[in-house]
């Protein structure tokens, strides 16, 4: 599978973190998990645009997630 199919992002309301989970190719176990971005305020939603760009929202705005390689 492609790297994007083996990666999962989720946001947390309490800490404002966007966490990145890398899954095994069979998607049945986690290889690693880390904080991809610390927004500082509660994350409500994360969406993937057709081009693969990630966007997330908090209680006041929508943001584009830009990660350093």
């Amino acid at each position: 599978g492609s790297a994007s199919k083996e990666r999962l992002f989720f946001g947390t309301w309490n800490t404002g973190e966007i966490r990145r989970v890398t899954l095994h190719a069979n998607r049945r176990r986690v290889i690693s998990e880390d904080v991809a971005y610390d927004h500082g305020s509660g994350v409500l939603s994360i969406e993937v645009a057709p081009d693969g760009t990630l966007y997330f929202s908090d209680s006041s705005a929508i943001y584009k997630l830009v990660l350093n390689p």
Side-chain angles (χ1 to χ4, degrees):
S2 73
S4 63
K5 290 185 179 181
E6 296 163 2
R7 195 140 304 141
L8 169 73
F9 288 86
F10 66 93
T12 61
W13 175 256
N14 292 344
T15 65
E17 295 173 341
I18 294 179
R19 301 196 62 88
R20 173 179 36 216
V21 176
T22 301
L23 303 173
H24 185 272
N26 67 14
R27 300 178 59 88
R28 293 187 179 181
R29 64 185 162 105
V30 172
I31 294 172
S32 67
E33 178 180 347
D34 67 336
V35 176
Y37 178 69
D38 187 352
H39 183 57
S41 64
V43 176
L44 291 173
S45 180
I46 298 177
E47 298 292 332
V48 182
D51 67 359
T53 303
L54 292 175
Y55 292 89
F56 69 95
S57 64
D58 63 14
S59 61
S60 62
I62 297 171
Y63 306 89
K64 179 179 179 179
L65 183 62
V66 178
L67 300 173
N68 295 326

